[in-house]
Amino acid sequence: MIESWRWYGDLDAITLDEVAQTGASGIVTSLHDIPYGEVWGAQAIATRKAQVTQAGFDWVVVESLPIHENIKRGTGDLPALFANYRQSMANLAAQGVTTICYNFMPLLDWTRTDLHAPVKGGGTCLRFEAVRMAAFEVHMLGRTDAEGDYPPQVLAKAAVWFQQASEAERGALLASIMAGMPGAFDRYDIPGLRNALQAYAGIDRAALRANYKRFLDEIIPAAADLGMRFCVHPDDPPRDILGLPRIVSDEDDIAWIMDAVDAPANGLTLCSGSLGANPVNDVPAIAARFADRIHFAHLRNVAKDPDGSFEEAAHLDGDTDMIALIKVLLDEEKRRRAAGRADHAIPFRPDHGHHILSDQTRKLIPGYPLIGRLRGLAELRGAIRALEHGAA
């Protein structure tokens, strides 16, 4: 497996010199300053690749080549957007960057209600609190029908929280939820978020799937021609949010995607944390079913509560059997080697991490600390080496 590290370029306070000390050999990055829908120019890609390679790394995965919201909504000048997307793909392929992680989550990327939840022993983690999310949707956003998405006991606690919360606490909740807006663009206040959600009015699960199928039909043949592999990232959290449908949340969703365009280029980013937040998901079993279509892995763990809340756990703790999951990935690599595939190794990165020690004094991207992810990488590396030793 290829040990990798997500790096946000000029937006990242963590330097590549620091990343080198983690032992990772691959970099996972993107061009976060380019507005969605515009072409990633050949020179911009070459400049980013030079940054990575001159620091001693390989650029192993693009995360992400974002999908414009008009594609998700099925509106606007779609032929131009698809053409721009394919041109960006071609420019990446020309630089030898051939694995692209992406998501099809409407409007929001990952969603959390607390960016600094305390963890045992000190430090903080990302947390999704069902009560606070209900308070936000019902009492702050005033979304119609939001009450139907939460059980009565959660709604009752949400009302109490909202009544007792200060303006600062409500503002912090909004800021935490907006932290999941991808890239360097688009942060909303309450009126702005209402307007953005209105653009999705009438788009249900079936409509979003149809728009996704159109995207796959336009992009996957081009990916195959370019020798590229696309890998969809599961929804985070794997449930409808703000009345927006989520369509990459469980095993059935993944099966639909893989069948929609049945080609090796149409693959999966196996994110154990996103899938693990859904109580119905058996993450090692999902990995085993779709092993031949896994092009990239995010390895992290979550601990779930009965009310739908969850938080980031240490990488070898939490509710997912990480050892069983890693074994599935190693077995798939062995199968690929036996089949003579030169690209048998699966890149992975330690996803998220607790903010511990000096992470807490630096201005870092939420969920992406240095020492917390270094701890996760070290734990995962140890598990991988032990399993490899046992197999040998």
Side-chain angles (χ1 to χ4, degrees):
M1 297 179 71
I2 301 171
E3 296 182 2
S4 307
W5 190 272
R6 190 172 192 182
W7 182 62
Y8 286 86
D10 294 337
L11 300 175
D12 205 326
I14 298 170
T15 67
L16 289 175
D17 286 343
E18 290 176 303
V19 177
Q21 297 181 57
T22 70
S25 61
I27 289 294
V28 176
T29 191
S30 181
L31 302 184
H32 298 283
D33 57 330
I34 298 179
Y36 295 4
E38 294 188 8
V39 173
W40 285 18
Q43 185 56 55
I45 294 169
T47 299
R48 175 53 54 85
K49 184 171 182 181
Q51 283 181 289
V52 170
T53 56
Q54 289 169 11
F57 299 97
D58 295 323
W59 185 358
V60 292
V61 178
V62 174
E63 186 178 350
S64 302
L65 180 56
I67 299 170
H68 196 280
E69 293 299 313
N70 280 351
I71 293 176
K72 300 173 188 177
R73 292 191 296 256
T75 59
D77 188 354
L78 294 178
L81 288 173
F82 289 134
N84 285 357
Y85 203 95
R86 286 189 292 264
Q87 185 60 57
S88 296
M89 292 164 55
N91 292 345
L92 284 162
Q95 289 291 327
V97 184
T98 57
T99 299
I100 296 177
C101 169
Y102 71 98
N103 74 71
F104 211 80
M105 289 181 263
L107 194 62
L108 291 178
D109 202 314
W110 57 269
T111 303
R112 299 293 187 273
T113 59
D114 194 337
L115 305 182
H116 307 288
V119 296
K120 182 179 179 180
T124 63
C125 71
L126 301 178
R127 179 172 174 81
F128 179 90
E129 181 72 44
V131 168
R132 292 191 185 185
M133 194 68 202
F136 179 79
E137 292 209 61
V138 175
H139 300 287
M140 293 175 61
L141 190 62
R143 181 173 70 81
T144 304
D145 300 327
E147 293 90 341
D149 290 345
Y150 297 92
Q153 61 270 27
V154 169
L155 292 171
K157 292 178 181 179
V160 172
W161 183 89
F162 178 75
Q163 291 166 1
Q164 296 178 347
S166 66
E167 286 300 316
E169 289 171 325
R170 296 175 188 176
L173 177 57
L174 173 63
S176 295
I177 293 170
M178 287 299 100
M181 294 292 296
F185 309 96
D186 293 340
R187 298 296 184 269
Y188 300 117
D189 56 13
I190 293 293
L193 181 57
R194 289 188 186 123
N195 289 335
L197 290 171
Q198 186 59 37
Y200 274 93
I203 298 178
D204 60 9
R205 179 180 175 84
L208 189 61
R209 269 190 168 183
N211 295 338
Y212 187 16
K213 177 66 163 60
R214 181 189 297 120
F215 170 79
L216 293 174
D217 288 338
E218 292 279 351
I219 297 305
I220 296 302
D225 290 343
L226 291 165
M228 306 188 84
R229 296 188 183 274
F230 267 64
C231 38
V232 65
H233 187 286
D235 302 325
D236 186 11
R239 51 161 292 174
D240 292 355
I241 291 289
L242 302 176
L244 299 171
R246 295 290 181 95
I247 58 172
V248 195
S249 292
D250 59 26
E251 185 172 353
D252 290 342
D253 288 344
I254 296 169
W256 180 89
I257 295 163
M258 298 300 106
D259 290 342
V261 178
D262 189 7
N266 180 28
L268 173 67
T269 296
L270 195 287
C271 181
S272 56
S274 296
L275 291 171
N278 187 335
V280 308
N281 286 337
D282 181 334
V283 181
I286 290 173
R289 177 176 176 183
F290 302 107
D292 64 332
R293 303 284 277 275
I294 295 173
H295 303 321
F296 181 35
H298 291 178
L299 299 183
R300 64 181 173 93
N301 225 320
V302 296
K304 299 184 290 292
D305 297 333
D307 68 354
S309 303
F310 63 90
E311 66 180 35
E312 309 288 347
H315 286 73
L316 299 186
D317 296 332
D319 297 334
T320 294
D321 186 342
M322 190 62 68
I323 304 303
L325 174 59
I326 292 172
K327 186 176 186 305
V328 171
L329 299 176
L330 291 174
D331 286 347
E332 173 60 17
E333 285 191 331
K334 182 179 179 180
R335 185 195 68 79
R336 295 178 187 184
R337 282 196 300 271
R341 279 183 53 176
D343 62 342
H344 62 269
I346 298 172
F348 80 94
R349 64 176 179 83
D351 196 14
H352 297 180
H354 292 172
H355 287 244
I356 55 177
L357 303 173
S358 60
D359 288 335
Q360 299 179 83
T361 64
R362 299 180 67 178
K363 189 174 179 59
L364 301 175
I365 293 169
Y368 289 90
L370 175 60
I371 297 174
R373 282 187 289 166
L374 172 59
R375 173 189 169 184
L377 178 58
E379 292 176 345
L380 296 168
R381 179 185 295 143
I384 291 167
R385 295 287 178 86
L387 287 167
E388 289 175 334
H389 178 76

